[in-house]
Amino acid sequence: MKLYDELVARGLIAQVTNEEEIREMIDNGKATFYIGFDPTADSLHVGHFMALCLMKRLQMAGNRPIALIGGGTAMIGDPSGRTDMRSMMTREIIDHNCACFKKQMERFIEFGEGKALMVNNADWLLNLNYVDFIRDIGACFSVNNMLRAECFKQRMEKGLSFLEFNYMPMQSYDFYYLYKNYGCNMQFGGNDQWSNMLGGTELIRRKLGKDAHAMTITLLLNSEGNKMGKTARGAVWLDPEKTSPFDFYQYWRNVEDADVLKCIRMLTFLPLEQIDEMASWKDAQLNTAKEILAFELTKLVHGEEEAVKAQTAAKALFAGGGDDSNMPTTAITEDKLENGKIGILSLLTACGLTASNGEARRLVQQGGIFVNEEKVGNIGLEVTREQLQEGVKIRKGKKVFHKAVLA
């Protein structure tokens, strides 16, 4: 199976322009393509995971990826999929986040001479003269068409700032700039980016003529990956300091039964023939499929050694074993103790298992918290210094494990 057909079979392609030309370029390693990442945090999360895996697949087939870090567009904020305006970030925070992204991307993509590129649109966007920009680029955009775009329509009732209205022309300019300066002939993105991406394709056609348009190709990445970034505890990050390899493994181990094969197809590099054999799996076999998914993705992000540790720890915990050496752990400092004790609500919050004492209170009252495998029935329970010295095992629900120790 050629690469383009494999991407379709894996459920990665939702919409395209110029399909036959795209197929020919991708299958023959002729694509120089970009995917954009706005640095809104200091770590990539699992919502970015599909894009990273796609870049890896295409690079393995001889195509050239460009990872575009949105240091410039992050100064504005993408309104797509938002109900309100993003918080404004300083240039220093954005630069720090960009550096974090690059370090994480290097686990997936091979950068270097003749290989993948990483560029930051701050290098060209922040130097633009605004009047020159709107005369040269703004004239290519119809306000009527922009207002029909889904990313703007959903914000019109609540209010769309003029600042955010500039995002589409600036993202479109990125593609135009990359086309002219790096020979980038293709762009990928989630379906929430479709209007912005078409804007870039149209801008190149209008600025450089129909011949250029023939080499300007837009692909739409299915947005399933964007639904994977949140859990009850918040975002699932690729940085092991923010989401431990064990928690990362557990996140994928606990996906819904209906999603497990979809995730295996989209995100792992297992052969499609092997995945197709899993299509008939049911009941207990689905748990095996989830273990395969969790192991493969943890290996991709954190390496095989960490994946083995996470899998071993998870199996030991669910089997009632005592090996908690790889369990996520929080060190509780003396200043958090009062008279040598810490209340269960404060402990849950300190461990990041709940966002607030109020949430912790509700979980305890609903019977969802266990300490050393005993259900906590009293919101006034206190854990002592001596218990913390030995290590306290906390379970939230059936699947989230954590350990608290004395610092």
Side-chain angles (χ1 to χ4, degrees), residues 338-400:
E338 186 174 341
N339 297 322
K341 300 176 182 179
I342 182 171
I344 185 62
L345 306 186
S346 298
L347 182 60
L348 291 170
T349 303
C351 290
L353 291 167
T354 57
S356 66
N357 283 4
E359 181 186 346
R361 179 188 298 270
R362 288 191 295 273
L363 276 172
V364 171
Q365 291 172 335
Q366 292 164 3
I369 297 297
F370 297 77
V371 170
N372 293 333
E373 290 307 316
E374 290 189 10
K375 183 185 289 187
V376 177
N378 177 12
I379 60 172
L381 176 72
E382 293 181 315
V383 174
T384 66
R385 177 187 290 110
E386 291 72 26
Q387 288 176 302
L388 290 170
Q389 286 174 333
E390 294 180 6
V392 175
K393 191 182 300 183
I394 305 168
R395 175 160 62 89
K396 184 174 80 169
K398 296 180 179 179
K399 301 174 180 178
V400 177

Side-chain angles (χ1 to χ4, degrees), residues 24 131 136 150 159 191 194 232 263 302 309 325 353 399 402:
E24 192 274 334
V131 173
D136 184 32
E150 198 61 37
N191 61 10
W194 186 238
C263 291
H302 298 296
K309 287 181 182 178
S325 57
L353 291 167
K399 301 174 180 178
H402 204 88

Side-chain angles (χ1 to χ4, degrees), residues 121-381:
N121 63 15
D123 293 340
W124 56 86
L125 292 180
L126 298 188
N127 294 324
L128 290 172
N129 178 287
Y130 186 67
V131 173
D132 290 343
F133 178 78
I134 58 175
R135 283 176 61 87
D136 184 32
I137 304 302
C140 298
F141 287 83
S142 161
V143 171
N144 290 344
N145 288 341
M146 291 174 69
L147 291 176
R148 283 193 288 268
E150 198 61 37
C151 61
F152 291 143
K153 279 169 59 179
Q154 62 189 4
R155 285 291 303 282
M156 293 304 292
E157 289 185 12
K158 294 200 68 172
L160 176 73
S161 71
F162 181 71
L163 175 71
E164 294 172 292
F165 199 61
N166 284 264
Y167 192 90
M168 181 186 290
M170 294 184 80
Q171 180 173 326
S172 300
Y173 184 79
D174 284 342
F175 193 16
Y176 172 64
Y177 184 93
L178 293 173
Y179 180 92
K180 288 200 309 176
N181 292 278
Y182 294 98
C184 179
N185 50 32
M186 195 176 297
Q187 58 180 331
F188 287 74
N191 61 10
D192 60 334
Q193 297 296 311
W194 186 238
S195 299
N196 294 338
M197 294 165 68
L198 290 180
T201 300
E202 179 64 12
L203 178 61
I204 293 174
R205 185 190 69 81
R206 294 193 62 174
K207 295 294 294 180
L208 302 178
K210 292 183 178 179
D211 290 342
H213 177 65
M215 292 300 295
T216 305
I217 302 166
T218 304
L219 282 83
L220 175 63
L221 182 66
N222 189 299
S223 66
E224 289 292 334
N226 296 329
K227 302 173 184 176
M228 300 175 184
K230 300 288 184 180
T231 68
R233 292 181 60 197
V236 177
W237 305 101
L238 305 192
D239 182 347
E241 296 300 317
K242 296 171 77 71
T243 298
S244 71
F246 178 86
D247 280 341
F248 188 85
Y249 178 95
Q250 285 296 97
Y251 172 77
W252 296 107
R253 173 63 182 78
N254 295 326
V255 298
E256 297 293 331
D257 289 356
D259 293 333
V260 60
L261 284 181
K262 184 192 304 180
C263 291
I264 290 176
R265 281 197 179 90
M266 288 181 169
L267 302 175
T268 76
F269 287 78
L270 297 175
L272 281 170
E273 296 79 6
Q274 180 181 347
I275 299 170
D276 289 340
E277 291 176 1
M278 300 180 192
S280 61
W281 288 10
K282 296 179 181 178
D283 303 326
Q285 289 179 305
L286 284 177
N287 287 328
T288 301
K290 292 178 184 182
E291 290 174 359
I292 292 171
L293 171 68
F295 183 83
E296 291 295 324
L297 298 192
T298 306
K299 182 172 69 172
L300 270 174
V301 175
H302 298 296
E304 186 164 7
E305 182 179 351
E306 291 297 332
V308 170
K309 287 181 182 178
Q311 186 177 66
T312 301
K315 288 183 175 180
L317 288 168
F318 283 106
D323 182 8
D324 58 8
S325 57
N326 294 305
M327 188 186 298
T329 301
T330 297
I332 304 299
T333 55
E334 283 282 352
D335 63 301
K336 287 187 166 57
L337 303 182
E338 186 174 341
N339 297 322
K341 300 176 182 179
I342 182 171
I344 185 62
L345 306 186
S346 298
L347 182 60
L348 291 170
T349 303
C351 290
L353 291 167
T354 57
S356 66
N357 283 4
E359 181 186 346
R361 179 188 298 270
R362 288 191 295 273
L363 276 172
V364 171
Q365 291 172 335
Q366 292 164 3
I369 297 297
F370 297 77
V371 170
N372 293 333
E373 290 307 316
E374 290 189 10
K375 183 185 289 187
V376 177
N378 177 12
I379 60 172
L381 176 72

Side-chain angles (χ1 to χ4, degrees), residues 14-46:
Q15 269 182 271
V16 299
T17 64
N18 307 67
E19 183 172 44
E20 289 308 311
E21 197 168 0
I22 290 169
R23 183 192 303 273
E24 192 274 334
M25 292 177 71
I26 287 178
D27 287 347
N28 293 287
K30 297 178 182 178
T32 297
F33 66 96
Y34 94 90
I35 297 180
F37 302 82
D38 272 356
T40 54
D42 59 0
S43 173
L44 297 163
H45 57 69
V46 298

